[in-house]
Amino acid sequence: MSDRFLYEGKTKIVEISEDGQNVILTFKDDITAGDGAKHDVMSSKGLFCSEITARLMQYLNTKGVNTMFLNYLPPNKIRAKKLKMIPLEVIVRFKKAGSFVRRYGGTEGEDLPSPLVEFTYKSDVMHDPLVCVEHLEVMGIVNKSIAEKIIEEAKKTAMLLKEFFSLHTFELWDIKFEYGVDEDGNICLGDEISPDTMRLRKSGEIFDKDIYRRDLGNPMEKYEVVLNICRSILL
Ligand code: TYD
């Protein structure tokens, strides 16, 4: 194992770059669902998800969002800023789906009156519980003002991506973000933005990981369509 190795997750490997200044994220061909209960390896997945992440983060950078993205290193790596990650998943929902419907009822695809932000605490043993802003402060994860800043950033970022996809006649239903603090002390968007981390639909057709979660066919065919849209964003 390289002495630059930092971390290996279910779908990514994180290492310090050769010059020691940044990190290199390697996107694996693994796909998982249900807390890792379902797991497969799909050829080209790492390429699709890394290039989609690179191009969408590049788009966000040009719109003034602080993202980790520095360079795309084909076929399946990204050079990114070093971040101190905050152990939260930040979900923005435009429509009801997934765990929202399981928890509160309603119909998949029903509009929410306004974008809704929710936090889950990243903890495998606790199965990523839903947490409120006041819990975050008590748990010492982030204080109220940082939580409010994250909510504002997440809504703005999700709106920008919703607009981008709607230009290509796709509907963004929901999306998950992960944030960290960069070396300047600013909140910075990290991790991944891909069909693994959002619900993306077009005329009732599914272009995201729900294809895999629900065994509806080969997800990679649809991920490739999403990549082709993202290729309108120049790197
Ligand atoms: P959510 O509906 O909460 O979860 P599930 O897919 O388990 O029903 O997910 C909302 C969005 O956030 C969805 O597009 C998937 C994404 N997400 C992740 O990428 N990782 C996660 O760990 C979770 C919980 C959600």
Side-chain angles (χ1 to χ4, degrees):
M1 196 187 293
S2 130
D3 56 0
R4 292 188 277 114
F5 173 88
L6 286 179
Y7 169 80
E8 176 160 4
K10 291 191 278 261
T11 59
K12 277 181 250 38
I13 298 169
V14 187
E15 291 161 294
I16 299 285
S17 61
E18 243 168 78
D19 62 11
Q21 299 301 304
N22 310 123
V23 294
I24 306 291
L25 271 60
T26 302
F27 288 64
K28 304 195 289 186
D29 283 343
D30 300 63
I31 185 163
T32 67
D35 236 348
K38 193 167 149 92
H39 175 220
D40 286 279
V41 175
M42 294 190 182
S43 171
S44 298
K45 179 178 184 276
L47 184 161
F48 294 155
C49 289
S50 60
E51 190 175 342
I52 292 169
T53 298
R55 290 183 187 272
L56 291 177
M57 286 200 180
Q58 169 68 12
Y59 172 77
L60 293 171
N61 281 345
T62 65
K63 299 283 180 186
V65 176
N66 186 30
T67 84
M68 67 169 188
F69 175 71
L70 297 171
N71 306 106
Y72 173 48
L73 310 169
N76 67 333
K77 293 179 197 285
I78 283 178
R79 176 187 288 269
K81 292 181 195 169
K82 275 188 208 164
L83 302 180
K84 186 176 182 325
M85 292 306 291
I86 300 167
L88 293 175
E89 304 210 322
V90 182
I91 294 169
V92 184
R93 299 181 189 274
F94 298 106
K95 286 178 180 279
K96 298 180 185 178
S99 66
F100 185 93
V101 172
R102 290 198 298 277
R103 227 178 250 128
Y104 309 114
T107 313
E108 290 261 333
E110 207 181 310
D111 277 329
L112 285 159
S114 55
L116 185 72
V117 181
E118 64 189 43
F119 293 103
T120 68
Y121 175 51
K122 274 178 75 102
S123 158
D124 286 340
V125 280
M126 295 183 202
H127 306 290
D128 299 354
L130 192 64
V131 280
C132 342
V133 171
E134 288 184 2
H135 293 161
L136 297 178
E137 190 145 29
V138 170
M139 290 158 79
I141 300 169
V142 287
N143 65 31
K144 193 162 181 243
S145 86
I146 295 176
E148 281 167 356
K149 167 85 181 151
I150 292 175
I151 292 171
E152 185 191 310
E153 277 295 306
K155 278 191 189 169
K156 179 176 107 182
T157 306
M159 286 300 300
L160 286 166
L161 294 169
K162 186 176 189 284
E163 277 165 29
F164 169 79
F165 284 116
S166 75
L167 287 175
H168 296 272
T169 67
F170 279 76
E171 286 177 9
L172 180 66
W173 283 17
D174 59 31
I175 185 157
K176 185 260 317 180
F177 298 123
E178 293 187 29
Y179 289 92
V181 179
D182 66 19
E183 288 176 322
D184 301 323
N186 295 314
I187 295 293
C188 183
L189 179 62
D191 195 52
E192 170 172 5
I193 312 177
S194 78
D196 266 17
T197 63
M198 61 175 91
R199 286 194 169 90
L200 195 60
R201 306 294 155 96
K202 181 177 182 157
S203 316
E205 214 179 325
I206 305 177
F207 286 83
D208 55 67
K209 201 162 80 172
D210 272 354
I211 303 165
Y212 177 69
R213 290 188 190 95
R214 302 195 212 153
D215 286 319
L216 298 175
N218 178 5
M220 292 308 108
E221 286 171 11
K222 299 294 168 57
Y223 281 39
E224 193 168 10
V225 174
V226 178
L227 173 58
N228 284 328
I229 296 167
C230 294
R231 282 191 170 149
S232 64
I233 302 161
L234 300 180
L235 288 175

